[in-house]
Amino acid sequence: MGRVVVVGSTNMDVTTRVDRIPGPGETVTGSSVALSPGGKGANQAVAARRLGAETVMVGAVGSDGFGSALREFLRGEAVDVAPLAVVDGPSGTAVTMVDGAGENVIVVVPGANAAVSARGLDALRLGPGDVVLLQNEIPAVVNAAALHRARAAGARTMLNAAPHRPTAADLLAAADVVLVNEHEFASLVPAAVGVGSLPGPRALVEVRGLLADGAGPNDNIVVTLGGAGVCARIAGTVVTLAARHVPVVDTTGAGDCFCGAFGAGIAAGLPAATALFHANLAATIAVQRAGAGIAMPTRAELDELLTSGGP
């Protein structure tokens, strides 16, 4: 088994629950507020580690109380935090609103994540068994440098192009796999504009057709579609997986759970189709819980779902 090496963000999530997401200029009353560890990078690292992968977190936290809490949380999850730098100033923060249906809106303040450096990879001795997982909550130049180093070492690379931002075509093409949700896919593929507003089953059909026609910034691309499931093109084969219908509590971090679980599956040597299936199920577990990093499922929980075939 190889390692999952996450190069990415670490945030403290400030989450407020509301009956509905307010519109511009509108005030609504929330029912609760909570602090919990998050950040796309940290969430993916926790997901991979809980599913059994040896996991390393390359990133940065601030010198504030949030930074200490984030570092201790990851250490408590048995994630290797040796390359997680501590820099002067505030840690990254994400302010999230979650409505009664579990949908969310998020504002991210990068803080220390702006100081993440690919130099954190220097002591790791990457090799062909490793999976390097990247996201868009750290500077683009860091993603480019990390991708170059990983590929030079023979490691497999996954770029979760989220949240969406203009990304160089050569960077998207250079990753072994690009992972996006339906909205990010539409930002990269003009023909997919509007897919995110379609009913789930129809969106799945539309994305499958686009992938079968060769659309996308990479030969290997995975598109998650929330409650509709996932559609992917891997090594020229298009795979579609429907999502299981479960009671949704909070979708925050569901995509991160999927990415971390997929990375863990590939690092464990699973075929891509099997790793996608496991990742889809892992995300199904995560959305039934509140929070992001704390909602990631364990290996035992995923195995139970695989064995029982239940929801």
Side-chain angles (χ1 to χ4, degrees):
M1 292 179 63
R3 298 171 295 179
V4 174
V5 179
V6 179
V7 183
S9 59
T10 307
N11 296 328
M12 183 61 76
D13 289 347
V14 183
T15 303
T16 301
R17 299 200 69 89
V18 294
D19 288 336
R20 60 181 179 83
I21 305 297
E26 184 182 13
T27 300
V28 299
T29 299
S31 59
S32 66
V33 62
L35 297 178
S36 60
K40 297 191 75 62
N43 292 342
Q44 293 175 16
V46 172
R49 184 69 192 100
R50 286 190 178 183
L51 292 174
E54 181 182 352
T55 306
V56 184
M57 181 72 211
V58 178
V61 296
S63 54
D64 55 1
F66 281 175
S68 298
L70 290 166
R71 192 176 182 86
E72 286 308 307
F73 170 71
L74 289 170
R75 183 181 285 116
E77 292 289 334
V79 173
D80 182 353
V81 294
L84 183 65
V86 178
V87 300
D88 288 337
S91 298
T93 306
V95 181
T96 304
M97 284 187 289
V98 182
D99 69 12
E103 295 297 334
N104 64 73
V105 293
I106 305 172
V107 176
V108 176
V109 183
N113 293 307
V116 176
S117 171
R119 290 191 299 273
L121 295 171
D122 288 351
L124 296 182
R125 296 189 179 184
L126 296 174
D130 295 324
V131 172
V132 175
L133 187 51
L134 308 163
Q135 324 80 35
N136 278 351
E137 286 185 341
I138 59 175
V141 294
V142 178
N143 274 346
L147 182 58
H148 174 76
R149 291 185 183 208
R151 289 180 66 86
R156 289 159 292 183
T157 55
M158 298 181 181
L159 174 60
N160 177 210
H164 173 71
R165 67 184 178 198
T167 303
D170 58 348
L171 181 65
L172 291 165
D176 290 320
V177 183
V178 170
L179 303 104
V180 290
N181 66 20
E182 67 271 35
H183 305 292
E184 293 143 4
F185 183 62
S187 297
L188 297 171
V189 178
V193 171
V195 165
S197 62
L198 295 175
R202 186 177 167 192
L204 200 63
V205 170
E206 290 291 326
V207 171
R208 179 181 177 83
L210 288 168
L211 293 183
D213 288 341
N218 191 293
D219 290 339
N220 299 314
I221 184 165
V222 178
V223 184
T224 58
L225 294 131
V230 60
C231 192
R233 183 180 64 233
I234 302 291
T237 299
V238 177
V239 178
T240 302
L241 297 170
R244 297 193 182 192
H245 295 290
V246 297
V248 176
V249 173
D250 187 354
T251 58
T252 307
D256 298 333
C257 178
F258 182 96
C259 292
F262 182 60
I266 296 299
L270 296 180
T274 304
L276 286 169
F277 180 68
H278 287 192
N280 199 36
L281 287 183
T284 296
I285 300 171
V287 299
Q288 298 180 69
R289 301 168 174 169
I294 58 176
M296 302 302 164
T298 64
R299 180 76 245 177
E301 289 170 326
L302 178 59
D303 286 343
E304 182 178 0
L305 193 57
L306 288 167
T307 301
S308 68

